Amino acid sequence: MYGLIDLWKRFSAARALTLLLILMGTCAGMGAFGQDAGATAEAAAAPKIDTGDTAWLLVSTALVMLMTPGLALFYGGMVRAKNVLNMLLKSFIALSVVTVLWVVLGYSLAFAKGSPFIGSFEFVGLNGVGQEPDDFYATTTPHLLFMVFQLMFAIITPALISGAVAERMKFSAYVLFIGIWSLVVYSPLAHMVWGEEGFLLKLGALDFAGGTVVHISSGASALVLAILLGKRKLGSGEDVRPHNLPMTLIGTGLLWFGWFGFNGGSAVASNGLAVSAFVVTHVAAAVAGLVWVLIEWVAYKKPTALGFATGAVAGLVAITPASGFVGPIAAIVIGAGVSFVSFFAIKMKAKLGYDDTLDVFGVHCMGGIWGALATGLFAQKAINSAGADGLFFGGGFELLGKQVVGVLVALALAVVGTLVIGGILKATIGLRAADDEEDAGLDLALHGESAYAGPSYGAEAVVAESGAMFAPMPQPEKA
Amino acid sequence: MMKVEALIRPQKLDEVKAALSEIGIRGLTVTEVRGSGKQKGFTQHYRGAEYTVNLLQKVKVEVVVPDGEAQRVASAIMEAARTGEIGDGKIFILPVAQVIRIRTGEEGESALT
């Protein structure tokens, strides 16, 4: 109760403070805009809400929200029928867990001014984040809208990790992991890359919509957590084929659709740059899906639906950091390139022996790295004056070098953060479901429900009211 | 009485049903089954991971008839289900000890039809 009163006091104080700041800012003429893509010249006067920008960002926010259910279906179709509800819920629960944390603390750690590495507590409880524009992040839309747009990114990022730990991670450990990860890894990284004083932003490393913040961070964490967790316990020759690929393809469609908001919305304006990002996003996804299918056709003689879905998502991942800086021809190269990168990264999995169940590392981390580096190759100031020229557009190696720094920082933070959080959870509450729970399927064992009615799903396990999860099967009477 | 149990290709079920109906057999039970025999399996690739499927989809048709009719039923199924390739399936003929109609309690051959 004390905490609530305290929070309310701070809230009122900060409201007043914000108003004062806005007045002062208006008087001062509001100079000094950074490299933020949305900071267009016409906004340099007094901050004023632009209805077009606000409308597009509202739509984009809703689009990005839809990606999390899309991800749930994308992943859900790839697991076995006995684990599909657990898989779906691991995405959906991120909507709740991250939303609460983001409003209370996460947004402040990511976007309030503080240090070059992490934000302060200025925006705790969304203090001072209101209907007025922000002078750096959202010059023409309500600051509150920018906050909720960013929230949708913060939600899907930890949810991406769930694919790597599918079919065996304990639900409680997962919920704690993504909650802590969101505050300890995501918020600081978002601050470094997008924060007004973030050191990667100041350095000039470019990440338009989250190649490092979203994909490299989640993909690298996914691999580390999968290794900490260990492989699934599979009998030799156990059939682990995807149980419902049409579900995965519906998810792919929703992800592709939502990604227009993810990348197009990251212009934080309804303008030419948003359209450019929209176009290259679509082109990269289309090319990557096609190229993946072609690679399979050559390697295995048959094009597959799962291959197309994987390629399209990899294409969307790769174009994400580049989407506000590159043109459509570069998008073709980026899309084609990522299919090779991710295809062979996934092939490595079998050789290296880790169980990144749904290839989060191969698609998101490797795809994100390729996209971040490709930004250093193909970025053009002609597309976005707030960006830079890459290696192929007369910028030399300067931008590419900065991109490498961005990639390495994201990798380091994700790996160390995941080792610490995962290690602590493993040593305390444990990360894995019990072996018999894994056998019976997480849906029945952890959630007490089955996705599909019928005798074949978990029928062998009797859920006893006594709390003994797996009572022995009743023996048939001897004839 | 005899039970004629035929394991056939799924795509041959309609022809087998028609052939049985032609010789006056109305009572039959059909089950989707999987099994292996001489027919080779196939491989699938999911993101490059290879799965060999050697339990193949078949359909089991069961018909119970009086002793003398078993051969005729088997011939009808054989003709309808045959393609000449490996994987056409098998027919088993087994003796049946008793038949009871649940609704009336009738027993024996009169419970068959």
Side-chain angles (χ1 to χ4, degrees), chain A residues 222 291 342 436 463:
Chain A
V291 169
S342 290
D436 56 353
V463 183

Side-chain angles (χ1 to χ4, degrees), chain A residues 208-262:
Chain A
F208 192 70
T212 50
V213 181
V214 174
H215 297 289
I216 295 177
S217 71
S218 64
S221 296
L223 176 62
V224 172
L225 193 59
I227 292 169
L228 275 178
L229 196 59
K231 295 185 202 183
R232 285 168 294 171
K233 302 209 179 313
L234 299 174
S236 76
E238 191 166 336
D239 190 347
V240 291
R241 285 177 293 167
H243 92 286
N244 188 339
L245 285 179
M247 184 187 275
T248 296
L249 275 118
I250 294 169
T252 305
L254 291 176
L255 283 168
W256 191 325
F257 182 71
W259 229 292
F260 292 129
F262 202 89

Side-chain angles (χ1 to χ4, degrees), chain A residues 78 240-242 300 310 358-359, chain B residues 34 44-48 51 53:
Chain A
M78 282 190 265
V240 291
R241 285 177 293 167
Y300 308 120
T310 310
L358 307 183
D359 301 305
Chain B
R34 291 187 300 162
Q44 296 182 322
H45 288 93
Y46 292 88
R47 284 184 173 170
Y51 292 95
V53 178

Side-chain angles (χ1 to χ4, degrees), chain A residues 80-470:
Chain A
R80 288 171 291 171
K82 63 182 181 179
N83 294 316
V84 58
L85 289 174
N86 175 266
M87 196 71 251
L88 292 166
L89 186 59
K90 276 178 176 159
S91 283
F92 275 91
I93 202 74
L95 282 161
S96 296
V97 173
V98 178
T99 296
V100 174
L101 292 172
W102 190 251
V103 165
V104 173
L105 181 60
Y107 180 70
S108 192
L109 294 182
F111 289 100
K113 276 192 191 175
S115 73
F117 302 101
I118 191 163
S120 69
F121 295 123
E122 185 190 345
F123 295 151
V124 162
L126 302 186
N127 266 333
V129 180
Q131 297 180 19
E132 309 79 17
D134 175 81
D135 63 6
F136 184 78
Y137 300 115
T139 52
T140 59
T141 70
H143 190 180
L144 203 55
L145 177 54
F146 179 76
M147 181 286 299
V148 74
F149 177 64
Q150 287 295 334
L151 164 59
M152 300 311 168
F153 288 63
I155 288 167
I156 195 168
T157 306
L160 287 167
I161 298 171
S162 67
V165 296
E167 304 199 312
R168 64 200 187 282
M169 189 171 186
K170 197 156 72 170
F171 190 69
S172 55
Y174 169 80
V175 169
L176 282 170
F177 179 85
I178 61 165
I180 301 167
W181 189 91
S182 150
L183 294 174
V184 173
V185 176
Y186 185 85
S187 283
L189 191 58
H191 188 79
M192 292 177 213
V193 175
W194 293 325
E196 188 170 350
E197 59 196 340
F199 95 94
L200 289 170
L201 186 83
K202 289 270 188 261
L203 175 75
L206 300 178
D207 184 357
F208 192 70
T212 50
V213 181
V214 174
H215 297 289
I216 295 177
S217 71
S218 64
S221 296
L223 176 62
V224 172
L225 193 59
I227 292 169
L228 275 178
L229 196 59
K231 295 185 202 183
R232 285 168 294 171
K233 302 209 179 313
L234 299 174
S236 76
E238 191 166 336
D239 190 347
V240 291
R241 285 177 293 167
H243 92 286
N244 188 339
L245 285 179
M247 184 187 275
T248 296
L249 275 118
I250 294 169
T252 305
L254 291 176
L255 283 168
W256 191 325
F257 182 71
W259 229 292
F260 292 129
F262 202 89
N263 292 353
S266 288
V268 201
S270 181
N271 58 14
L273 184 60
V275 173
S276 173
F278 192 118
V279 169
V280 295
T281 298
H282 181 72
V283 169
V287 170
L290 179 64
V291 169
W292 195 292
V293 160
L294 290 173
I295 296 172
E296 281 187 333
W297 222 328
V298 172
Y300 308 120
K301 312 281 187 284
K302 288 193 170 91
T304 70
L306 178 60
F308 178 84
T310 310
V313 170
L316 292 161
V317 168
I319 199 65
T320 294
S323 54
F325 307 107
V326 303
I329 299 301
I332 291 177
V333 181
I334 290 172
V338 76
S339 283
F340 284 95
V341 169
S342 290
F343 184 89
F344 289 104
I346 289 173
K347 288 293 284 180
M348 290 295 289
K349 180 172 78 163
K351 293 201 176 70
L352 298 176
Y354 57 89
D355 188 6
D356 170 8
T357 312
L358 307 183
D359 301 305
V360 185
F361 177 77
V363 173
H364 293 274
C365 191
M366 293 308 292
I369 290 173
W370 161 244
L373 298 180
T375 307
L377 303 176
F378 298 108
Q380 276 177 275
K381 275 189 161 172
I383 305 272
N384 184 347
S385 57
D389 284 325
L391 180 63
F392 297 154
F393 290 90
F397 285 94
E398 195 187 337
L399 178 61
L400 191 59
K402 293 171 179 173
Q403 295 301 99
V404 171
V405 174
V407 168
L408 293 177
V409 169
L411 284 173
L413 183 58
V415 169
V416 173
T418 302
L419 278 174
V420 172
I421 306 164
I424 291 173
L425 289 174
K426 190 174 179 178
T428 52
I429 64 166
L431 295 171
R432 284 189 81 113
D435 288 356
D436 56 353
E437 294 173 327
E438 188 181 329
D439 273 349
L442 302 185
D443 291 1
L444 190 72
L446 301 186
H447 308 289
E449 57 185 345
S450 303
Y452 310 99
S456 41
Y457 299 106
E460 70 277 14
V462 179
V463 183
E465 273 184 55
S466 66
M469 185 61 82
F470 304 108

